[in-house]
């Protein structure tokens, strides 16, 4: 990581806080530039081994505040006494990947607008061994401080792509040997556990309100659905993603 002076305005850098997020940040191999590391002198983070080793390593960009000043300036729930401000490119280039390994899995999130949902999807995807997440350039939430916080550091370990045209992106994935599976309630949809998720697959999910857009859905090779047995006929998209991705993991483990 490259050290720089903290001269940027607040809207020019990302902010993460809490032990999990910050520990994943320090353990990642990404080339981010740290603007500042801010610690509560009485917080639990300052005594954590990885964090304490950074205090001497990063010198002037480390700020240790008393608890009152820390809480007045950074009133974040569950900060655990640490906050990191950093800059860097959080996105990857899909088309620079020439060869995808067998059993690659890419998640395509079409029109997800809730930062909480996207953050949870990133966290679940990383835990489930997904290789990357594709977001549309328009009509979608992207990586923000809220998304990063909910992901609990998972965004450091998974490729995030932003593409202008999802239909073209799907065609590119098909040219690389991917099968495209759309999660959508439809009479043509198979039960989610009856789909073969082995091999190179891309799983498409849409927003809870709008679902997958028509042309994107038309580009899918298969459609799958999760049957609802309760009185509520829709499942939170992040929960649906969890079910699909861990069914894939179950199939691969067999």
């Amino acid at each position: 990581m490259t050290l720089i002076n903290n001269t940027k305005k607040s809207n020019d850098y990302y902010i993460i806080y809490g032990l999990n997020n910050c520990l994943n940040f320090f353990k990642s191999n990404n080339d981010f530039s740290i603007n500042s590391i801010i610690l509560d002198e009485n917080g639990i983070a300052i005594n954590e081994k990885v964090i304490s080793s950074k205090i001497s390593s990063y010198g002037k960009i480390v700020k240790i505040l008393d608890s009152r000043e820390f809480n007045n300036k950074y009133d974040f729930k569950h900060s655990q006494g640490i906050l990191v401000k950093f800059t860097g490119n959080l996105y990857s280039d899909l088309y620079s990947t020439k060869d995808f390994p067998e059993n690659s899995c890419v998640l395509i999130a079409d029109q997800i607008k809730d930062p909480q949902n996207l953050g949870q999807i990133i966290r679940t995807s990383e835990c489930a061994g997904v290789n990357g997440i594709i977001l549309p350039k328009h009509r979608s939430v992207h990586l923000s401080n809220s998304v990063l916080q909910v992901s609990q550091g998972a965004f450091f370990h998974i490729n995030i792509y932003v593409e202008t045209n999802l239909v073209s992106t799907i065609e590119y994935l098909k040219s690389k040997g991917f099968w495209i599976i759309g999660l959508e309630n439809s009479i043509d949809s198979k039960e989610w556990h009856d789909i073969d998720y082995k091999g190179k697959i891309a799983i498409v999910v849409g927003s809870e309100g709008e679902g997958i857009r028509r042309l994107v859905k038309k580009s899918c090779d298969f459609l799958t659905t999760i049957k609802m047995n309760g009185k509520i006929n829709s499942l939170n998209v992040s929960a649906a993603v969890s079910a699909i991705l861990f069914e894939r993991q179950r199939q691969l483990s067999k």
Side-chain angles (χ1 to χ4, degrees), residues 105 107 120-130 183 192-193 195-198 201 203 226 237-254:
C105 178
L107 184 74
Q120 190 58 56
I121 286 170
I122 293 172
R123 185 177 182 180
T124 300
S125 297
E126 199 282 329
C127 290
V130 170
L183 179 58
W192 62 285
H193 48 74
I195 296 287
D196 185 356
Y197 297 102
K198 298 185 292 294
I201 62 165
I203 300 170
I226 300 175
V237 64
S238 63
V241 166
S242 296
I244 297 293
L245 293 185
F246 284 102
E247 169 60 19
R248 171 180 173 267
Q249 284 292 83
R250 186 193 68 80
Q251 293 183 17
L252 292 178
S253 67
K254 292 177 64 177

Side-chain angles (χ1 to χ4, degrees), residues 44-207:
I44 63 173
I46 199 168
N47 295 315
E48 206 283 332
K49 289 183 179 179
V50 174
I51 303 300
S52 60
S53 69
K54 302 300 177 185
I55 296 175
S56 57
S57 300
Y58 291 153
K60 293 182 179 179
I61 66 169
V62 178
K63 298 180 180 179
I64 301 176
L65 309 178
D66 63 57
S67 296
R68 178 178 292 182
E69 185 179 5
F70 183 92
N71 292 327
N72 285 339
K73 287 186 174 181
Y74 309 107
D75 185 21
F76 296 116
K77 191 176 181 180
H78 307 308
S79 71
Q80 298 174 300
I82 184 169
L83 180 142
V84 175
K85 300 178 183 180
F86 71 97
T87 56
N89 181 22
L90 300 182
Y91 299 100
S92 301
D93 179 11
L94 178 67
Y95 293 91
S96 67
T97 307
K98 302 302 180 185
D99 295 301
F100 295 87
E102 190 62 24
N103 291 323
S104 292
C105 178
V106 175
L107 184 74
I108 301 175
D110 187 23
Q111 302 186 100
I112 304 296
K113 299 183 178 69
D114 184 351
Q116 296 285 324
N117 275 338
L118 180 57
Q120 190 58 56
I121 286 170
I122 293 172
R123 185 177 182 180
T124 300
S125 297
E126 199 282 329
C127 290
V130 170
N131 301 87
I133 298 174
I134 299 173
L135 306 173
K137 185 175 182 179
H138 305 290
R139 297 173 62 81
S140 173
V141 65
H142 295 140
L143 296 180
S144 64
N145 289 336
S146 296
V147 173
L148 302 189
Q149 194 60 37
V150 175
S151 81
Q152 287 294 291
F155 69 94
F156 293 119
H157 308 295
I158 190 169
N159 293 317
I160 309 293
Y161 310 102
V162 174
E163 300 297 333
T164 302
N165 189 316
L166 290 188
V167 174
S168 297
T169 301
I170 287 172
E171 291 305 313
Y172 172 75
L173 291 174
K174 287 183 177 181
S175 74
K176 297 297 181 180
F178 280 79
W179 293 97
I180 315 300
I181 302 167
L183 179 58
E184 181 82 357
N185 290 327
S186 167
I187 60 172
D188 299 320
S189 297
K190 295 182 178 181
E191 287 278 4
W192 62 285
H193 48 74
D194 290 334
I195 296 287
D196 185 356
Y197 297 102
K198 298 185 292 294
K200 297 179 182 179
I201 62 165
I203 300 170
V204 186
V205 297
S207 67

